[in-house]
Amino acid sequence: LAARVECGKVRQLSYRHVLVLPEPLKAVSADSRFGINGANGDWTPVVRRLGVGWVRFENMKWPFVSPEPGVYRFDGSVKPWQVNHDAIFKGYADQGLNVLPFLFMIPEYASGAPANAKEGRRSFYPRKDNALFGEFAFQVAARYGGKQHPGSELKTGDGKSGLGYLRVYEIWNEPNLTNADWGAWVGTAPQYLELFRVAAEAVRRADPAAKVTNAGYAGIQVKTVDQLRVHKYPDGKCPLDFVDILNVHFYSGRIAPEISQDDFNAHQSSELTVEQEFRRLLAWRDKHKPGMPIWLTETGYDSAGPFGTDERTQAARLPRVVMLALASGIDKVFVYRESGSTASMHAASGLLRDDGTYKPSYLTYA
């Protein structure tokens, strides 16, 4: 209750909760160092009001756009998901938001999963043919990149291309988490790196001006990203030759970011603090590919669940980990994620609750 003294007496005043946000930014741009992970176009105005310039889009998934070999539909007609990529990307563009999609998952017809693979897990195994994933990458970049293509190169019925919605593409997600029960890539590191090159080259064929990032690695340790340098292709090149932006993830779980020496998502421990790990990562970059930007495309805190604490702690730590990363030299930081409060693994890390109401972390990040 607010109170004030009047005629020598204290009078109690009624009050109600009020959301206090900064003034909305008049414009956001690709130069923004702030982003958020998202998948629901309905939240686009809320994301724009937050003030970030980037959205890392989670649903650019191959099965969502290709129900059968050689067929691609981006209009939301592919069941059962019915994700309308055209409408979502247009909505982001209309709000001035830049989009980083990660190209992800394998449809049943292209999966190389063994017959005994667990139900629902076949999409995370290496493909039967990397060229098919390359076709997927080409079709996405041809449609949403900046270059027009003849209908003979497109697998869509409407022949749309060069829509100009996308300029950066991420190939897969967390390929170093390989557990068959929950990992994003149930294969080897060399298998991923072979797929990565095929997809990177396909994106650049579709849009020569496009930038490519590796799949965001779980963890920020140099030993994790160094495989981009040491793996060699038959022609002598390495994956790092095809990486325009280095991409990593970091989560300190229930530990404050300033003192954390563990990444609970990556199952990594270190003798160094996260700030020291960031600086070691930048030194590796400066030695092997000077000038290459480094984006932290996932970081955040659960407000419940096995890695979480509560909404107050989430709100307090989120801006601190963002500032720590930026101050260490990371170029952009993307918070995970726009919505979610379910008390399960990483499902409570949203800035909005499941019902769409604001958590305190929305306000501290804004």
Side-chain angles (χ1 to χ4, degrees):
L1 294 175
R4 65 187 174 101
V5 177
E6 185 176 80
C7 298
K9 296 180 180 179
V10 177
R11 187 178 68 169
Q12 302 295 321
L13 303 178
S14 63
Y15 79 104
R16 60 193 178 95
H17 288 93
V18 178
L19 294 179
V20 181
L21 283 165
E23 288 295 315
L25 297 177
K26 293 181 179 179
V28 292
S29 76
D31 293 330
S32 171
R33 300 182 75 187
F34 302 95
I36 193 166
N37 284 252
N40 187 342
D42 293 342
W43 297 130
T44 301
V46 180
V47 170
R48 174 62 181 82
R49 183 64 182 82
L50 184 64
V52 299
W54 285 81
V55 177
R56 180 174 181 253
F57 185 67
E58 301 172 8
N59 274 339
M60 194 64 260
K61 297 173 179 174
W62 188 6
F64 287 16
V65 298
S66 182
E68 59 186 274
V71 175
Y72 287 83
R73 300 200 299 268
F74 296 89
D75 59 359
S77 63
V78 177
K79 297 180 179 180
W81 307 279
Q82 295 185 293
V83 176
N84 190 332
H85 296 86
D86 287 349
I88 291 172
F89 291 157
K90 183 179 186 302
Y92 288 144
D94 289 346
Q95 292 284 349
L97 294 164
N98 301 276
V99 182
L100 168 66
F102 59 89
L103 280 55
F104 192 42
M105 296 175 61
I106 309 287
E108 180 66 30
Y109 68 77
S111 174
N116 62 350
K118 287 190 174 183
E119 184 70 23
R121 296 291 302 158
R122 298 182 63 82
S123 292
F124 303 97
Y125 283 79
R127 70 303 151 263
K128 293 177 182 176
D129 181 359
N130 278 339
L132 294 177
F133 193 86
E135 177 188 87
F136 162 56
F138 179 90
Q139 294 300 318
V140 172
R143 188 176 188 86
Y144 296 121
K147 180 182 176 181
Q148 293 283 338
H149 289 264
S152 59
E153 295 181 353
L154 306 175
K155 303 288 185 179
T156 52
D158 59 17
K160 292 181 180 179
S161 70
L163 296 177
Y165 293 152
L166 302 178
R167 288 172 287 176
V168 188
Y169 302 82
E170 179 179 353
I171 311 302
W172 211 261
N173 179 57
E174 298 188 333
N176 57 320
L177 299 185
T178 59
N179 187 289
D181 292 333
W182 50 263
W185 176 257
V186 190
T188 66
Q191 285 176 314
Y192 164 68
L193 296 172
E194 293 297 324
L195 176 139
F196 167 76
R197 177 173 178 174
V198 169
E201 291 182 323
V203 165
R204 291 198 176 109
R205 285 198 308 274
D207 185 359
K211 302 294 185 183
V212 173
T213 87
N214 59 284
Y217 281 115
I220 58 175
Q221 294 185 4
V222 165
K223 66 181 182 181
T224 301
V225 303
D226 199 45
Q227 59 192 283
L228 295 171
R229 178 185 65 88
V230 300
H231 181 84
K232 297 298 180 184
Y233 298 117
D235 61 0
K237 293 184 178 181
C238 67
L240 195 59
D241 294 325
F242 301 90
V243 175
D244 299 304
I245 299 163
L246 185 65
N247 189 336
V248 292
H249 299 166
F250 170 74
Y251 293 92
S252 68
R254 291 177 175 171
I255 308 299
E258 297 86 354
I259 62 172
S260 175
Q261 294 177 287
D262 299 283
D263 188 313
F264 291 90
N265 181 55
H267 307 284
Q268 291 179 352
S269 296
S270 173
E271 295 180 353
L272 305 178
T273 65
V274 61
E275 184 176 7
Q276 291 170 325
E277 288 285 7
F278 277 138
R279 296 193 184 281
R280 177 179 282 186
L281 185 64
L282 266 70
W284 177 90
R285 183 273 311 274
D286 292 344
K287 180 178 180 180
H288 298 295
K289 196 163 186 177
M292 176 178 58
I294 302 178
W295 291 6
L296 183 66
T297 62
E298 281 190 30
T299 192
Y301 291 92
D302 283 325
S303 61
F307 294 131
T309 52
D310 53 54
E311 290 187 357
R312 181 186 179 94
T313 304
Q314 179 196 33
R317 289 178 177 169
L318 186 62
R320 284 155 48 193
V321 74
V322 172
M323 290 188 288
L324 189 154
L326 294 176
S328 298
I330 300 300
D331 292 274
K332 297 186 190 297
V333 177
F334 294 67
V335 166
Y336 188 84
R337 62 189 300 270
E338 61 188 8
S339 66
S341 54
T342 303
S344 61
M345 186 174 180
H346 298 313
S349 57
L351 305 188
L352 305 174
R353 301 183 187 93
D354 290 337
D355 63 4
T357 56
Y358 295 91
K359 291 184 188 178
S361 56
Y362 180 95
L363 307 182
T364 58
Y365 192 35

